[in-house]
Amino acid sequence: MTHTTPEDQQYLSRAVALSREHMDNEAGGPFGAVIVRDGRIIGEGWNQVTSTNDPTAHAEVVAIRRACEAVGDFSLQGATIYTSCEPCPMCLASAYWARVSRIVYANTREDAAEIGFDDSLIYDEIPKPVSERIIPMDHVPSLEAKAVFDAWMQKPDKIAY
């Protein structure tokens, strides 16, 4: 951590506390996240994968969903995510989609791998050509699907994101 403040330590401690509390309460894995904007917490999350049977219910994703709902916007520009662990590829992508301005984390992805949460397969798969990925992917062009995209481009009241 290079440019941290006492507030960073405070919010990161909250994320770590959420990870322990909800891990101990059997909600899921040892991960917690807090989203802060303008000096106030706008969303909190903890891993709920096993308690909700939702593989996307990672701490950061849950916190992003709650923060967006709280502020009534899909953009979290100006916000910081404080998380107990370096975000996995899904959570990192979610932070980009949410336009988060900064991420502060405690444990590294290597630390996570040491306790059984190894994301290296996903990191390795993403840059591969589609034809070389482990999960087979078949491109099936569709005129109907293209028509929907064309309609989106012509839609005068679309909300770009």
Side-chain angles (χ1 to χ4, degrees), residues 4-99:
T4 59
T5 66
E7 289 80 18
D8 288 336
Q9 288 296 330
Q10 172 191 345
Y11 295 126
L12 191 57
S13 291
R14 175 65 184 151
V16 172
L18 287 169
S19 72
R20 174 163 307 273
E21 174 187 347
H22 294 285
M23 176 193 71
D24 288 347
N25 290 332
E26 308 298 329
F31 305 97
V34 173
I35 300 178
V36 176
R37 186 162 64 186
D38 299 325
R40 105 184 151 83
I41 295 174
I42 58 173
E44 293 185 336
W46 49 89
N47 185 284
Q48 299 175 26
V49 170
T50 57
S51 61
T52 64
N53 294 317
D54 179 354
T56 69
H58 290 201
E60 297 90 340
V61 171
V62 171
I64 288 168
R65 290 173 181 163
R66 289 180 174 159
C68 288
E69 185 176 346
V71 301
D73 197 349
F74 57 82
S75 175
L76 297 176
Q77 187 138 11
T80 298
I81 294 182
Y82 295 90
T83 178
S84 63
C85 187
E86 181 178 355
C88 76
M90 177 185 67
C91 293
L92 182 59
S94 298
Y96 276 104
W97 278 112
R99 295 166 178 79

Side-chain angles (χ1 to χ4, degrees), residues 79-155:
T80 298
I81 294 182
Y82 295 90
T83 178
S84 63
C85 187
E86 181 178 355
C88 76
M90 177 185 67
C91 293
L92 182 59
S94 298
Y96 276 104
W97 278 112
R99 295 166 178 79
V100 168
S101 296
R102 183 171 174 238
I103 299 170
V104 177
Y105 62 94
N107 295 315
T108 67
R109 70 171 103 162
E110 292 80 14
D111 296 330
E114 288 177 11
I115 65 163
F117 295 93
D118 189 351
D119 299 322
S120 61
L121 172 73
I122 301 168
Y123 282 107
D124 292 344
E125 283 288 293
I126 290 172
K128 287 182 182 177
V130 170
S131 62
E132 295 177 20
R133 292 182 182 156
I134 293 171
I135 298 176
M137 296 177 65
D138 296 311
H139 175 220
V140 181
S142 164
L143 292 176
E144 294 86 357
K146 179 69 170 115
V148 174
F149 273 22
D150 293 342
W152 172 259
M153 287 301 298
Q154 301 303 316
K155 187 172 171 42

